[in-house]
Amino acid sequence: MIELAAEEPQSPVLPVVPEIVIGLICFGVIFFVFYKRLLPAINKALEERREAIEGGMEKAEAAQAEARQTLESYKEQLAEARHEAARMRQEAQEQGAALIAEMRAEGQRQREEIIAAGHAQIAADRKQAAELLRQDVGKLAIELAGRLVGESLEDHARQSRTIDRFLDDLEDKASASVPSQGSEAGR
């Protein structure tokens, strides 16, 4: 073989056949080792990575869907809370208006009671004043009558009759003079 190589000049472009065979055998052994040992490990790592990426994407999509659902839930709760707040404000306004009306009615009732009590007190005071005035006028009339008659009118029964008769006469004269004055005023 060496002789053959020395006899023929070898082309620098073409490789020697035994080197090609040894190169192919080495390439086959390396390819087989890679195919049996390294390629499954690489494929397994790539598959795990693909599954992790797909799982992560699925998880992200699930998380995003859950976030959307939670957001919608919060929006619904916020809308319900706003509606509830508006309802509560409306109820408070209605209760306030009812309370104001009730307080006004109570104030009006108290005012009417105070006015009625005042009128009753005035009537009672007027009656008491008239009674005191009647007694004072009666005493003065008895004193005057006693001086005019010249005798004492100390008898209580007689005083009462005299006072009553005198005051009745005064009232009759006063009531008789009032209508006649009213007719004169119309002339």
Side-chain angles (χ1 to χ4, degrees), residues 12-78:
V13 178
L14 289 176
V16 182
V17 175
E19 287 179 3
I20 290 178
V21 172
I22 291 174
L24 283 175
I25 291 173
C26 286
F27 177 76
V29 169
I30 292 174
F31 179 77
F32 181 75
V33 170
F34 276 143
Y35 183 75
K36 287 293 183 181
R37 300 269 182 191
L38 194 56
L39 192 59
I42 292 173
N43 283 338
K44 183 179 177 184
L46 289 175
E47 186 65 27
E48 288 175 358
R49 185 171 181 198
R50 185 185 60 80
E51 287 175 1
I53 290 171
E54 287 177 358
M57 289 175 62
E58 289 173 1
K59 287 179 185 176
E61 288 173 1
Q64 191 175 18
E66 185 179 341
R68 274 192 225 112
Q69 185 179 9
T70 304
L71 178 64
E72 291 299 320
S73 173
Y74 286 150
K75 285 181 181 178
E76 289 174 10
Q77 289 176 356
L78 181 61

Side-chain angles (χ1 to χ4, degrees), residues 44-158:
K44 183 179 177 184
L46 289 175
E47 186 65 27
E48 288 175 358
R49 185 171 181 198
R50 185 185 60 80
E51 287 175 1
I53 290 171
E54 287 177 358
M57 289 175 62
E58 289 173 1
K59 287 179 185 176
E61 288 173 1
Q64 191 175 18
E66 185 179 341
R68 274 192 225 112
Q69 185 179 9
T70 304
L71 178 64
E72 291 299 320
S73 173
Y74 286 150
K75 285 181 181 178
E76 289 174 10
Q77 289 176 356
L78 181 61
E80 288 176 13
R82 285 182 180 157
H83 179 70
E84 183 68 19
R87 185 187 63 78
M88 290 174 78
R89 274 193 306 270
Q90 182 66 27
E91 284 180 5
Q93 288 175 347
E94 290 171 0
Q95 288 176 352
L99 186 60
I100 289 171
E102 184 180 318
M103 295 304 286
R104 282 184 181 159
E106 179 66 21
Q108 185 68 23
R109 185 188 62 77
Q110 288 178 355
R111 184 178 141 254
E112 295 295 327
E113 286 178 0
I114 290 170
I115 290 173
H119 286 302
Q121 184 65 37
I122 290 171
D125 289 348
R126 183 179 292 154
K127 186 176 179 182
Q128 184 180 10
E131 187 64 35
L132 288 174
L133 184 62
R134 187 176 184 119
Q135 288 174 1
D136 288 344
V137 168
K139 286 179 185 176
L140 290 174
I142 289 174
E143 259 182 55
L144 182 62
R147 286 184 186 165
L148 288 176
V149 173
E151 64 181 67
S152 176
L153 299 174
E154 293 295 325
D155 184 18
H156 186 48
R158 195 181 317 167

